[in-house]
Amino acid sequence: MFRIGIDLGGTNIKAVILDKNNRILASDTCPTHASDGFDGVMKSICGSVARMQASLSAQLTDSGDISPDPKEAAFSPASFCGGMTVPGQICGPGGPVLYAPNIGWHDVDPVGYLRDHLGISFKLANDADAIALAEAVVGAGADYPSILMLALGTGVGGAYILDRKIFDGFGLFGGEFGHIPLVHGGRPCPCGITGCFEQYCSASGLARIAREALEENLKACKDSTDHGDACRVTLLWDLCGHDPERLNTVHLFEAAKKEDPTAVRVLTDFFDHLSEGITGLVNIFRPGAVIIGGGLAEAGDALFIPVNERVSRMTYGSSYIPAPPVLKASGGIYTGAVGAALLQEA
Ligand SMILES: [Zn+2]
């Protein structure tokens, strides 16, 4: 059985076919064409599947595994099953999709469409879950049966993979780690409460906190009559080209590397918050490893060394059983598609 994985994004569709050893046999990327509506997107997906099947057929023909004529070959829809990620809310692996705002979907049935048009059985998953599954089975967490994944990007996406299966929770609303209340009376979150993990630890949240720190620093320097170190303008000001809206987390790590006091203070708070959130999750789930993905993971050792030190120190019972390592996700453009294919058994 070949497993097809479709990673449906707002801009592009990325797709793979895996063999039974989870190797990628074929891959394809094409535009989503979300403005063409549900049927237009599904046609793009079917086109992607057809191109990969043709590529696979050619490979198998060359290797002598099947008859030269793909139509006669043991290459029927029954040879395939698949999985698909959806950037929205689904009603379980069989669908339907309740809504996917980025692509304008409301109450649609992609599993039914793919069954009717390709004769292939598909399962659906949320994209964060699929990425975590790929990291758990073939990525940075492959040495551990159970992992916890956090993607630090616009928000904090997350998933817990228990024995290489997605742990969804009741109503598929589990794994919303970004909305753990972390700071009492803290920053407001669009989810409706205050102090959520992602307000402090997402890349967007961290950039916002850095911008506030920059503006406070500029104000303090302006107000100060002392022109010594106490009112030294932070390096962040030059790094963002004197436009705080352009300040990002790369600037923050760069300034901290040069021991800029404002950047060091913002990052120290960030490491504390992130480590407290991770330690709370570790004390509940005790995974084999915690995998960090998303843009912030690119900070590398500057992030992973202080966070591992804190998590190791704070984790319950870590003097008896070491805390799980916090590792960088292996990533790759087809990770979501591979995770979608892994929704099906080999
Ligand atoms: Zn929230």
Side-chain angles (χ1 to χ4, degrees):
M1 183 74 88
F2 299 108
R3 287 162 298 161
I4 299 168
I6 307 287
D7 182 14
L8 174 59
T11 309
N12 286 308
I13 293 162
K14 296 177 203 105
V16 296
I17 294 180
L18 298 188
D19 71 4
K20 64 181 187 323
N21 297 315
N22 301 329
R23 282 179 310 197
I24 297 176
L25 296 174
S27 62
D28 189 79
T29 302
C30 66
T32 304
H33 295 305
S35 57
D36 294 349
F38 174 69
D39 279 4
V41 172
M42 294 311 295
K43 270 186 195 142
S44 296
I45 290 173
C46 290
S48 187
V49 170
R51 285 190 294 279
M52 291 195 299
Q53 285 178 320
S55 157
L56 182 60
S57 174
Q59 289 175 46
L60 297 179
T61 304
D62 288 349
S63 66
D65 279 2
I66 61 167
S67 149
D69 181 356
K71 286 182 187 152
E72 296 175 7
F75 206 64
S76 72
S79 308
F80 293 90
C81 57
M84 177 172 147
T85 71
V86 177
Q89 188 63 41
I90 59 172
C91 280
V97 175
L98 284 183
Y99 60 89
N102 291 348
I103 49 173
W105 284 9
H106 295 274
D107 199 18
V108 292
D109 179 18
V111 170
Y113 186 104
L114 292 167
R115 187 182 52 238
D116 294 346
H117 289 77
L118 301 177
I120 297 173
S121 169
F122 272 77
K123 288 182 179 175
L124 302 180
N126 157 298
D127 39 10
D129 286 348
I131 287 170
L133 185 59
E135 289 290 344
V137 177
V138 297
D143 291 340
Y144 309 93
S146 299
I147 63 138
L148 205 129
M149 168 115 195
L150 292 170
L152 310 181
T154 312
V156 173
Y160 178 51
I161 305 296
L162 175 62
D163 290 332
R164 305 209 159 91
K165 296 265 185 298
I166 297 166
F167 173 83
D168 284 321
F170 180 72
L172 307 182
F173 274 93
E176 292 296 338
F177 302 142
H179 300 284
I180 295 171
L182 191 70
V183 177
H184 178 70
R187 291 165 178 272
C189 181
C191 77
I193 66 166
T194 59
C196 285
F197 191 16
E198 74 175 28
Q199 294 305 314
Y200 300 84
C201 297
S202 64
S204 310
L206 179 59
R208 190 165 52 243
I209 290 168
R211 275 195 290 275
E212 289 172 8
L214 166 60
E215 277 158 7
E216 276 168 30
N217 168 266
L218 293 176
K219 184 171 183 308
C221 285
K222 202 172 157 212
D223 293 347
S224 173
T225 51
D226 171 7
H227 295 287
D229 276 348
C231 72
R232 195 172 66 191
V233 172
T234 165
L235 294 176
L236 297 172
W237 179 235
D238 281 342
L239 288 168
C240 70
H242 300 183
D243 178 1
E245 287 306 308
R246 290 179 54 206
L247 184 67
N248 61 38
T249 58
V250 175
H251 299 142
L252 188 60
F253 278 92
E254 201 177 328
K257 199 172 166 189
K258 293 175 182 158
E259 299 182 349
D260 176 75
T262 303
V264 168
R265 180 169 50 77
V266 169
L267 275 186
T268 302
D269 285 348
F270 165 68
F271 296 144
D272 287 344
H273 283 131
L274 181 59
S275 305
E276 284 164 10
I278 290 173
T279 303
L281 292 166
V282 164
N283 285 347
I284 298 167
F285 294 109
R286 200 65 177 218
V290 178
I291 313 290
I292 305 279
L296 271 176
E298 298 307 319
D301 282 353
L303 179 141
F304 286 93
I305 290 173
V307 170
N308 268 297
E309 185 276 320
R310 284 164 169 80
V311 171
S312 172
R313 180 162 40 79
M314 291 191 292
T315 292
Y316 181 78
S318 61
S319 52
Y320 301 100
I321 300 170
V326 181
L327 307 170
K328 182 173 184 281
S330 45
I333 65 162
Y334 288 110
T335 309
V338 168
L342 293 171
L343 295 170
Q344 298 276 5
E345 299 281 340

